Amino acid sequence: MRSPEELTTAFRAAGLKVTPQRQLLFTLMHNNSAHPTADSLYAVASKQMPGISLRTVYQTLTDLTEMGELRTIEVGAGAMRFDPNVSDHHHAVCDVCGAVQDVYVNQAPELRGLDGFAVADAHIVYRGRCASCSASVKRS
Amino acid sequence: MRSPEELTTAFRAAGLKVTPQRQLLFTLMHNNSAHPTADSLYAVASKQMPGISLRTVYQTLTDLTEMGELRTIEVGAGAMRFDPNVSDHHHAVCDVCGAVQDVYVNQAPELRGLDGFAVADAHIVYRGRCASCSASVKRS
DNA sequence: TTCTAATTTGCAACGATTGCTAATTAGCAA
DNA sequence: TTGCTAATTAGCAATCGTTGCAAATTAGAA
Ligand SMILES: [Mn+2]
Ligand SMILES: [Mn+2]
Ligand SMILES: [Zn+2]
Ligand SMILES: [Zn+2]
C-alpha cells in the first residue's frame, strides 16, 4: 500500500474525496504488519477519532482493496483480515495468540491430482505457534 | 471416514445413539468427494428424509468431525465444507463453478520469514478453473 | 414393556458483513 | 468567500452461516 500522501493524490485523481476518516485509516494501515480485522482497526481508529463508524472503516477498507492498495486474507475461522502488503506471500497463524505473520515460499511445490485444473492463485495458511508463544511454553 | 456399518458400531460403543437421521448422513458422506457444505448436504438429505432439520445436519457433522471421521475446510469465502477424506491433502477451488477438488503436494516448499514460528499444519487453497470450466472457455 | 438419557427440532440469538437512507461535507466554481 | 452538489458518513436494519436453548421425541438398555 502506498503512503498516505500518495493515496491522497490517488483518491482525488479518482474523483474520491479525502476525508479525515480516510486520512486516519490511511495512516493506520500504512506499514501495518498486524493483519488487522475491520473491527480491530475500528478499535484503534476510535481512540484517535471518537465517533468514527465501523461502517466507514469497512467502506474504506473495501475501497482500498478495490484500488489494489490492500489485499484481504482469510485465515480459516474468524473475521476477514486486511493486509497492506500486496506482494506474493503466505501467512502463518499462531493457534495460541492469533497473531498472523508473513511467510514467503521459495519454490512452488510439485502437485498431484490437479487433473486439468488451471491454477491462477495459491494461498497457504500455516498454523502452529509463533516464536513468542513457543517461548512461553518452554518457560512454563 | 469409515463405512456406515463401522460408524454404527463406533457410535454405539461411544454411548451415542444411531438414529435414522444419522444413518442417512453416514451414507451421504461416505465416499463423498464433493466437499459439501452443511446446507448442500441438508438439501440432499431432505429429499430422502423430508423433515430432517438443518440443525441435525450441523450437529451430526460436528459430531463426526470431533470423532475424527471428517475434517472441515474453509476455502476463502462462503460456508464451511466437510470432507470425509481425512488424509493429508489440499484443495483447488474453481472460480467459475465453485467445485472443490483434492490436491496432493509431493514435497513441502522451503519457507522464508518463519522466524521461530513452529509449524504444526499447513493448508493450501488453489484458485483457478477446473478442467470442465476450462473446456467450456475453449469451446465458447 | 418401561424408563431415561440422548437426540431431534424449531426458533432465537449470534458475529461478521452489507444494504439503505437521511444528514453531513469536501472540493469545485462563481 | 460563498454556494452548490455529488460524495461520504453514520446509524440501523437486514443478511448469511452457525450455534444456543428448551420442549418434545425416541433409541436402546433393563
Ligand atoms: Mn501478509
Ligand atoms: Mn478434500
Ligand atoms: Zn502466538
Ligand atoms: Zn469449474
Side-chain angles (χ1 to χ4, degrees):
Chain A
M1 175 178 144
R2 286 177 284 173
S3 71
E5 297 70 38
E6 290 174 298
L7 290 175
T8 294
T9 304
F11 265 60
R12 294 224 174 92
L16 301 174
K17 295 178 176 177
V18 178
T19 63
Q21 290 89 337
R22 282 176 174 175
Q23 294 184 74
L24 172 59
L25 294 168
F26 292 169
T27 64
L28 292 180
M29 284 306 287
H30 187 60
N31 289 333
N32 183 330
S33 59
H35 302 90
T37 62
D39 206 68
S40 70
L41 191 66
Y42 169 63
V44 175
S46 293
K47 280 184 195 142
Q48 293 190 51
M49 187 184 284
I52 189 174
S53 79
L54 175 59
R55 190 69 186 79
T56 296
V57 173
Y58 269 108
Q59 188 60 56
T60 301
L61 289 171
T62 300
D63 293 342
L64 287 167
T65 302
E66 284 170 358
M67 292 173 71
E69 300 291 337
L70 296 180
R71 60 179 278 207
T72 58
I73 60 187
E74 299 257 14
V75 294
M80 174 100 61
R81 288 162 178 278
F82 296 87
D83 193 348
N85 176 354
V86 294
S87 72
D88 183 20
H89 68 286
H90 304 274
H91 296 92
V93 185
C94 179
D95 288 325
V96 178
C97 68
V100 177
Q101 73 185 59
D102 293 337
V103 175
Y104 295 84
V105 316
N106 288 338
Q107 82 296 329
E110 207 178 290
L111 306 179
R112 264 178 303 128
L114 228 41
D115 200 35
F117 188 98
V119 175
D121 188 68
H123 184 222
I124 314 181
V125 175
Y126 294 93
R127 303 209 140 254
R129 281 168 191 270
C130 73
S132 63
C133 287
S134 294
S136 307
V137 169
K138 278 177 206 151
R139 248 180 263 124
S140 63
Chain B
M1 175 177 142
R2 285 178 283 172
S3 70
E5 296 71 39
E6 288 173 299
L7 290 175
T8 294
T9 304
F11 266 60
R12 294 222 175 96
L16 301 174
K17 295 178 178 178
V18 177
T19 65
Q21 290 89 340
R22 281 176 175 176
Q23 293 183 73
L24 172 59
L25 294 169
F26 291 170
T27 65
L28 292 180
M29 285 305 287
H30 187 58
N31 289 332
N32 184 330
S33 60
H35 301 90
T37 62
D39 207 67
S40 68
L41 192 65
Y42 169 63
V44 175
S46 293
K47 280 183 196 143
Q48 293 190 49
M49 187 184 283
I52 190 174
S53 77
L54 175 59
R55 191 68 187 80
T56 296
V57 173
Y58 269 108
Q59 188 60 58
T60 301
L61 290 171
T62 300
D63 292 343
L64 286 167
T65 303
E66 284 172 358
M67 292 172 73
E69 300 291 338
L70 297 179
R71 62 178 277 204
T72 58
I73 59 187
E74 300 257 13
V75 292
M80 173 101 61
R81 288 164 179 276
F82 296 86
D83 193 347
N85 178 354
V86 294
S87 73
D88 184 19
H89 69 286
H90 305 275
H91 296 93
V93 185
C94 179
D95 288 326
V96 179
C97 68
V100 177
Q101 73 186 58
D102 293 335
V103 175
Y104 294 84
V105 315
N106 288 337
Q107 81 298 326
E110 210 177 287
L111 307 179
R112 264 178 304 125
L114 228 42
D115 200 36
F117 188 98
V119 175
D121 188 69
H123 185 221
I124 314 180
V125 174
Y126 294 93
R127 302 210 141 255
R129 281 171 188 267
C130 73
S132 62
C133 288
S134 293
S136 309
V137 169
K138 278 178 206 150
R139 250 179 262 129
S140 66

